[in-house]
């Protein structure tokens, strides 16, 4: 499944394109195309299902093998915290795995709307911080981050359009971005 979401912060709008394999094995054959231009990778396990947590290592290893690790913000998500009485994976286990692998960590529940948006915003904020530091940015041959106009006035001059080169230069000055 593919979703698109817009996040806004100050003067920056970031479009997230979310590819969800739902951990299904049938997607393993096409995962390279999922990972190819990845800037943020959220690996989700079900806290009520120990096997899903045990699969996290494989998903993480696969993701790392398909990307330049320094280009990707990884987050581990323990999901379904609304089912605390059925928990099979402790918060501490998730935190330890995340810390050992330099990943962000959060627990969520879609059922009670706990930390869902927070997970996406935290990853987005980290990507933006890396861009501001110059650790991430536009590169030839990589579509993980693209410069797109925010409004027509960002592209149009007085009676004419700005060239693609001017648009890229404008992007570098303004730090406006979209991530794919």
């Amino acid at each position: 499944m593919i979703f698109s979401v817009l996040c806004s912060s100050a003067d920056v709008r970031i479009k997230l394109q979310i590819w969800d394999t739902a951990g299904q094995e049938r997607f393993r054959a096409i995962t390279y195309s999922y990972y190819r231009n990845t800037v943020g990778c959220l690996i989700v396990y079900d806290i009520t299902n120990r096997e899903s947590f045990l699969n996290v290592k494989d998903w993480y290893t696969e993701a790392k093998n398909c990307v330049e690790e320094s280009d990707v913000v990884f987050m581990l998500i323990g999901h379904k915290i609304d089912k605390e009485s059925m928990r099979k994976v402790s918060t501490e286990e998730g935190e330890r795995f995340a810390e050992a692998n330099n990943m962000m960590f959060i627990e969520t529940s879609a059922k009670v709307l706990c930390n869902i948006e927070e997970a996406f915003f935290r990853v987005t904020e980290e990507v933006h911080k890396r861009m501001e530091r110059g650790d991430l940015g536009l590169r030839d041959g990589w579509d993980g981050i693209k410069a797109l106009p925010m409004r027509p006035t960002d592209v149009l001059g007085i009676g004419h359009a700005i060239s693609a080169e001017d648009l890229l230069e404008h992007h570098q000055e303004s730090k406006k971005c979209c991530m794919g």
Side-chain angles (χ1 to χ4, degrees):
M1 249 193 259
I2 304 170
F3 303 94
S4 289
V5 179
L6 279 177
C7 298
S8 295
S9 172
D11 66 339
V12 177
R13 286 179 53 190
I14 298 175
K15 179 182 178 184
L16 306 177
Q17 188 176 68
I18 302 163
W19 296 72
D20 181 5
T21 65
Q24 296 178 30
E25 291 299 317
R26 65 184 171 154
F27 287 108
R28 289 234 185 234
I30 59 171
T31 52
Y32 178 75
S33 64
Y34 283 95
Y35 295 126
R36 182 179 50 224
N37 293 309
T38 297
V39 178
C41 182
L42 289 74
I43 299 176
V44 182
Y45 66 92
D46 177 346
I47 68 159
T48 69
N49 180 333
R50 175 149 292 281
E51 186 177 337
S52 76
F53 181 71
L54 296 176
N55 289 331
V56 163
K57 183 177 180 184
D58 293 336
W59 283 104
Y60 179 61
T61 299
E62 183 175 302
K64 283 189 347 181
N65 289 337
C66 293
V67 299
E68 187 67 38
E69 192 174 351
S70 62
D71 290 340
V72 180
V73 175
F74 286 95
M75 176 179 270
L76 180 62
I77 299 175
H79 190 56
K80 297 189 181 178
I81 58 171
D82 55 284
K83 296 184 176 184
E84 184 64 35
S85 65
M86 299 169 58
R87 184 184 280 270
K88 301 286 190 259
V89 181
S90 72
T91 300
E92 292 76 19
E93 288 176 280
E95 289 173 331
R96 279 194 304 271
F97 184 91
E99 186 175 328
N101 292 285
N102 199 28
M103 300 171 79
M104 300 169 82
F105 178 77
I106 196 168
E107 290 190 326
T108 64
S109 169
K111 187 173 184 177
V112 296
L113 300 176
C114 179
N115 287 336
I116 300 297
E117 287 183 359
E118 180 68 16
F120 291 103
F121 284 120
R122 284 180 50 198
V123 170
T124 303
E125 287 173 350
E126 180 60 26
V127 168
H128 187 245
K129 285 179 192 174
R130 290 182 186 190
M131 290 181 67
E132 286 182 325
R133 287 192 313 256
D135 297 339
L136 284 174
L138 297 174
R139 284 199 317 257
D140 287 337
W142 184 62
D143 290 329
I145 296 175
K146 299 177 186 176
L148 297 176
M150 298 287 288
R151 298 169 298 280
T153 56
D154 291 339
V155 179
L156 300 176
I158 300 174
H160 67 282
I162 294 175
S163 71
E165 288 176 314
D166 289 342
L167 179 60
L168 286 175
E169 185 176 291
H170 175 73
H171 164 75
Q172 290 169 345
E173 294 170 7
S174 68
K175 300 286 187 189
K176 294 178 182 164
C177 68
C178 289
M179 41 185 237

